[in-house]
Amino acid sequence: MTELSGSHDDPFALHLAALAVLDDRGTVIGWNRRAQELLGYPDTAVIGRPASEILVDPRDLPTAREAAASCRRAGGWAGMLTVRHRNGRLVEMGLRADALARDGRVREWVLAGALEADVLEWQRDRAVLDGLYRRCPIGLVIHGPDLRILRVNRAIERFSGVPAADFRGLPTGCFLLPDDARRAVDRVRQVIDTGRPSVYSEQFVRLEQDPARERVAMVSSFPMEDPSGRILGVAEMIEDITERHRAQRRLALLDQAGSRIGTTLDVAETARELAEVMVPHLADHASVDLLQPVTRGEELAGTLTGPVVRVGVSGVGAQQAGPSHPQGEPVEFAPDTPQARCLAEGRPVLEPVLPPEWFSTRGHQGAHAPDLGAHSLIVVPLAARGLVLGVMTLWRSRRPDPFEADDLTLAQELAARAAVAIDNARRFTQQQQTAFTLQSSLLPRAVPDQSAVEVALRYLPASAAPGLGGDWFDVIPLSGARVALVVGDVVGRGIHAAATMGRLRTAVHTLASLDLEPDEVLSRLDDLVILLAAEQEAAGERPVGEQVVGATCLYAVYDPVSGRCSVARAGHPPPVVTAPDGHVTLLDLPAGPPLGLGGLPFEARDVELAEGSLLCLYTNGLIGERNIDADVGLTKLCNALTRPADALEQTCQAVVDSLVPSSPSDDVALLVARTRMLPPDNVASWHLPLEPAGAARARALTSAKLSEWGLEHLAFTTELIASELATNVYRYASGPATLRLIRERRLVCEVSDTSHTSPHLRRARTTDEGGRGLFLVAQMAERWGTRYTREGKTVWTEQPLAGTFT
């Protein structure tokens, strides 16, 4: 398209148009040079002759006559006609006829003509200009070189609310607030000074007559020049993109929320993420209040309206006002507050404009406002899976524009997304608490009373890994004043691992009650793990890519009478022993296969432990952190155990401080035991002959020793027990027999022989001559049982030292 300074000028202008003057009868009486150039007729060839004969083709006479008649009726005419050139060709022309009146009568007609193409192009240009000023939805502002407005179109009138005519002569930016006006002036001045256009620059603008509403305009500015290049002014195309910008901002906020909200399975952290996303993109202040059961991971019973706990707060500015109630403390919303209504009804509340008296006359309404200058409010429910978990409150105080319906829609969308993440976190918390409750119920709550060792325990769950581990420890009193020390670790995490740990721990207690040797205990556990694995695999409970069931275990039995410790392990880290002089060693034990492989033997090893030695049992979480080499971990563990005389709790904590990070990636079970020895005076042992008089000798020895120990009140029952046990040895066993009495927390009476035949408790009939001895023993003793060794068996009983036979 050519420039306006060329053919876009009015083709009917006097210096451009072909002009002819006709008298009232249609005779040509005037003819200019342009007419001669376009049609080829010199003035001598047409003046004095009828125009219809010279200029009109006979075939076009009807059209010409109709146009002439219309011209006479209307006093003028404009349109397109075909005119004959001197050489006979036809020329399409645009014509305009105007009457020249003299003395009130039409005497002459001025006929102006131009090529049809030029007329059509000029008309299109006129239509474009008319469209720009009257119909174009994009604003147009024409600034003069003096930075005053020359003209604006109707889009600017609609944008500003000011009539277009009122803008003429006003300074640039006159309808904007001062800060926005300065930016507009600078932009126009830069275009005038540089002569370079400015394209697609965004500007936030506020109008003087509506300062509370912030708008966004897309501005393109370009200089206007005359043919000589002199700048005549600046034209600006201004498009109101407020809604588009808000839509883009909302989409960006939704995208940001998707990446920032729900990054953890922590209820409070998810609520804080939601509040932080809202500020400053949507609100100046945001708070998230959750129902108290939600923060604890509990199920919600019906519709609750409180109490709530404020778990997320965010606000603009470094000196933002704090919430009216501290985070973490439960509070109740007043019944007629927007938050209370939102909780009760599960529907959002939009208060676009808060009147000044909202805070004064209804002060309780503003009790939860972070800033008394707040002027607009949104409260949306945090609802997921049909339950209202809490509310999110948004305030505007610094931003002048109030909340709108679109803001409410966006807040609801973000709240809905966050509510699902919060509910997921709540469910995870509930599952974790259930699992921890299960795990804590399966772990020992206290160290049982026993005289063999002093014990310190630590259990540290992993803070980063999902689910629970299967680590456990145990201290199990055994017969003969002995004690079993156990540490184990089930493969995997979660409820299955915790449940398997509980089953294995129960099995260990059962096996310990049978007084089996450590290697035999591990063999029986190995069979149990294989059985559990088969059950899980048959039920289809195998986690993808994980072993069905597997575990490691270390089982140690310490005897405070002999100072001997028998230890066996199944794929577990070896124990650390610290002698009384501070010398630390790793016990050299056969590693043994992990539990669950089957078919491989376990081997126990006996070691002598001096009184005051430390025996440290642990799971691999203590030395197997991902960022720590196992050998480095063992070295640190040995260094932390070099002071056996220190308080045991202090030593145990020193191990934790040295090896366990603040957020361990694996569960840690730690058991540190200091050995004790029973004084020799508290143990008495005798060999019994296999003869009828053996029972009498057992009674005599027992009576004498109890008198020496000052336990005469137990003499009758203990003599009876020793006599019956010795009689059973004489009747049913072979080889030498041994009677042993141990005085510790209880009085222990043991009779050992070389037979592996187990005595059975039965109820004798009235006609039976025997069968009542073991029944009497069971009635007299608090506890009794049988343990087996490689050399034979031992039947033992326990009685409380303060007890008496009645």
Side-chain angles (χ1 to χ4, degrees):
M1 185 177 289
T2 57
E3 296 182 357
L4 289 174
S5 59
S7 61
H8 287 200
D9 290 342
D10 186 356
F12 295 110
L14 292 178
H15 65 288
L16 295 177
L19 298 177
V21 181
L22 307 182
D23 62 15
D24 196 35
R25 293 174 296 177
T27 302
V28 179
I29 59 175
W31 190 259
N32 75 345
R33 184 182 297 275
R34 180 61 176 163
Q36 180 177 340
E37 293 174 356
L38 289 179
L39 299 177
Y41 297 101
D43 54 356
T44 57
V46 295
I47 292 177
R49 300 180 61 183
S52 59
E53 294 181 3
I54 302 173
L55 303 177
V56 181
D57 187 90
R59 292 170 294 182
D60 294 326
L61 280 174
T63 303
R65 292 191 180 109
E66 182 180 349
S70 176
C71 180
R72 290 181 182 276
R73 290 193 301 270
W77 178 87
M80 300 294 178
L81 284 179
T82 303
V83 180
R84 185 170 57 185
H85 194 275
R86 183 178 185 182
N87 60 14
R89 64 183 176 87
L90 299 179
V91 180
E92 298 290 338
M93 294 187 66
L95 299 175
R96 178 183 294 171
D98 293 295
L100 291 177
R102 295 180 183 177
D103 301 329
R105 295 175 55 195
V106 175
R107 296 292 182 90
E108 296 172 351
W109 298 85
V110 178
L111 194 64
L115 293 177
E116 181 184 45
D118 292 342
V119 174
L120 290 177
E121 188 171 11
W122 174 75
Q123 289 177 340
R124 283 193 296 268
D125 289 346
R126 294 280 297 178
V128 169
L129 288 175
D130 181 71
L132 284 175
Y133 283 104
R134 297 179 181 274
R135 300 176 182 84
C136 181
I138 299 176
L140 176 64
V141 181
I142 306 299
H143 305 272
D146 59 352
L147 298 181
R148 289 191 173 273
I149 297 175
L150 302 177
R151 188 175 181 184
V152 300
N153 68 350
R154 290 183 178 176
I156 293 295
E157 183 178 275
R158 292 190 296 270
F159 180 78
S160 65
V162 178
D166 294 350
F167 280 93
R168 294 181 184 273
L170 294 178
T172 297
C174 58
F175 58 97
L176 302 177
L177 291 182
D179 289 343
D180 298 332
R182 278 193 294 271
R183 287 191 292 270
V185 170
D186 292 342
R187 182 177 60 251
V188 174
R189 181 178 287 116
Q190 183 179 10
V191 174
I192 292 175
D193 293 343
T194 64
R196 292 193 299 269
S198 171
V199 181
Y200 298 144
S201 64
E202 287 189 8
Q203 181 176 344
F204 291 85
V205 295
R206 288 170 296 170
L207 305 179
E208 280 189 334
Q209 64 180 22
D210 189 12
R213 183 182 179 190
E214 186 176 60
R215 308 186 189 197
V216 185
M218 180 76 74
V219 183
S220 293
S221 309
F222 58 91
M224 300 182 298
E225 301 176 349
D226 63 11
S228 65
R230 181 170 60 93
I231 293 180
L232 303 176
V234 172
E236 284 192 318
M237 306 296 292
I238 302 175
E239 182 181 4
D240 185 357
I241 61 169
T242 304
E243 294 305 320
R244 186 197 314 168
H245 186 271
R246 288 180 179 175
Q248 291 174 345
R249 187 172 60 185
R250 292 183 184 112
L251 289 175
L253 187 56
L254 286 172
D255 180 67
Q256 184 183 23
S259 61
R260 289 186 57 185
I261 298 176
T263 59
T264 66
L265 287 172
D266 180 86
V267 171
E269 181 62 26
T270 303
R272 284 192 292 271
E273 291 169 346
L274 173 60
E276 290 170 358
V277 164
M278 293 296 171
V279 178
H281 305 289
L282 187 60
D284 295 325
H285 302 273
S287 62
V288 178
D289 300 288
L290 299 179
L291 291 167
Q292 195 171 22
V294 175
T295 62
R296 297 194 295 252
E298 300 172 359
E299 289 289 348
L300 296 177
T303 301
L304 300 178
T305 58
V308 297
V309 178
R310 179 153 292 179
V311 290
V313 177
S314 184
V316 295
Q319 303 298 326
Q320 67 178 59
S324 59
H325 60 275
Q327 289 179 256
E329 294 186 8
V331 297
E332 293 276 359
F333 288 123
D336 55 348
T337 57
Q339 291 87 349
R341 298 201 311 270
C342 182
L343 272 178
E345 301 172 6
R347 286 188 280 183
V349 176
L350 171 61
E351 297 280 356
V353 179
L354 300 176
E357 62 272 12
W358 198 81
F359 293 96
S360 58
T361 61
R362 303 174 67 189
H364 57 282
Q365 291 277 25
H368 299 279
D371 186 349
L372 294 183
H375 60 80
S376 192
L377 167 71
I378 283 179
V379 184
V380 293
L382 296 169
R385 302 179 177 97
L387 295 174
V388 177
L389 310 176
V391 295
M392 175 178 68
T393 307
L394 305 178
W395 306 84
R396 280 186 180 173
S397 56
R398 297 194 176 189
R399 293 176 59 172
D401 50 319
F403 285 118
E404 299 176 347
D406 288 344
D407 297 320
L408 178 61
T409 301
L410 177 60
Q412 286 181 277
E413 174 66 23
L414 293 172
R417 294 188 181 191
V420 173
I422 290 173
D423 193 50
N424 289 339
R426 178 191 65 82
R427 293 184 174 208
F428 175 76
T429 301
Q430 184 183 48
Q431 293 176 358
Q432 286 293 90
Q433 290 174 347
T434 301
F436 280 122
T437 301
L438 170 64
Q439 189 179 44
S440 61
S441 66
L442 296 175
L443 289 172
R445 295 173 180 259
V447 178
D449 292 336
Q450 43 80 38
S451 304
V453 292
E454 177 190 359
V455 177
L457 304 170
R458 293 290 188 278
Y459 182 83
L460 304 171
S463 60
L468 297 170
D471 295 23
W472 90 93
F473 47 67
D474 243 321
V475 178
I476 307 173
L478 302 177
S479 64
R482 299 169 306 137
V483 66
L485 305 175
V486 190
V487 172
D489 186 1
V490 175
V491 173
R493 306 194 66 80
I495 295 292
H496 282 299
T500 302
M501 176 269 287
R503 299 173 76 172
L504 293 182
R505 180 171 178 256
T506 301
V508 169
H509 273 262
T510 302
L511 296 172
S513 67
L514 299 176
D515 268 323
L516 300 178
E517 296 291 330
D519 54 343
E520 182 66 19
V521 170
L522 294 182
S523 295
R524 301 286 181 89
L525 280 181
D526 187 51
D527 294 338
L528 175 61
V529 171
I530 293 173
L531 176 62
L532 294 178
E535 290 178 353
Q536 284 194 14
E537 196 163 20
E541 297 177 355
R542 176 174 184 170
V544 178
E546 294 185 9
Q547 183 175 348
V548 178
V549 176
T552 64
C553 185
L554 187 144
Y555 189 89
V557 176
Y558 173 69
D559 186 350
V561 175
S562 64
R564 179 174 300 170
C565 185
S566 181
V567 188
R569 63 184 178 125
H572 203 82
V576 177
V577 174
T578 304
D581 61 1
H583 180 66
V584 183
T585 58
L586 283 173
L587 284 187
D588 184 15
L589 298 177
L595 300 176
L597 295 184
L600 298 176
F602 299 95
E603 183 178 348
R605 184 159 297 175
D606 292 347
V607 294
E608 299 287 340
L609 297 179
E611 185 173 13
S613 299
L614 296 183
L615 181 63
C616 179
L617 311 182
Y618 53 92
T619 55
N620 61 3
L622 185 69
I623 61 171
E625 280 286 325
R626 297 174 184 174
N627 58 340
I628 300 178
D629 183 82
D631 292 337
V632 175
L634 286 173
T635 301
K636 288 185 176 182
L637 176 60
C638 292
N639 293 337
L641 294 170
T642 56
R643 299 172 62 89
D646 288 350
L648 200 60
E649 287 292 333
Q650 179 181 342
T651 300
C652 191
Q653 189 59 43
V655 171
V656 171
D657 294 341
S658 177
L659 283 99
V660 181
S662 58
S663 299
S665 61
D666 194 8
D667 291 6
V668 175
L670 174 65
L671 186 156
V672 181
R674 178 181 285 122
T675 60
R676 296 168 176 157
M677 294 285 289
L678 289 182
D681 294 343
N682 285 9
V683 181
S685 180
W686 306 275
H687 291 290
L688 296 177
L690 289 180
E691 57 185 30
R697 176 172 171 75
R699 288 195 298 271
L701 292 171
T702 299
S703 178
K705 179 54 68 174
L706 292 182
S707 296
E708 179 184 337
W709 284 344
L711 299 176
E712 291 86 352
H713 62 284
L714 295 176
F716 177 78
T717 56
T718 309
E719 287 179 31
L720 180 59
I721 291 171
S723 173
E724 292 299 331
L725 295 181
T727 300
N728 278 343
V729 170
Y730 170 72
R731 287 182 176 179
Y732 306 112
S734 60
T738 302
L739 170 65
R740 186 169 72 162
L741 296 178
I742 302 174
R743 181 182 63 175
E744 45 119 21
R745 297 173 184 269
R746 293 172 178 81
L747 177 63
V748 179
C749 178
E750 300 177 343
V751 175
S752 304
D753 60 62
T754 59
S755 171
H756 286 85
T757 302
S758 174
H760 295 285
L761 180 66
R762 67 186 178 89
R763 187 177 297 276
R765 292 171 297 185
T766 56
T767 57
D768 291 344
E769 295 183 0
R772 296 177 179 84
L774 202 56
F775 180 77
L776 290 175
V777 169
Q779 298 300 309
M780 297 295 179
E782 183 182 56
R783 294 175 63 231
W784 76 279
T786 304
R787 69 174 180 268
Y788 295 88
T789 63
R790 292 178 178 84
E791 294 78 19
K793 71 175 183 297
T794 298
V795 181
W796 54 269
T797 66
E798 291 182 358
Q799 302 174 78
L801 294 181
T804 57
F805 176 71
T806 57

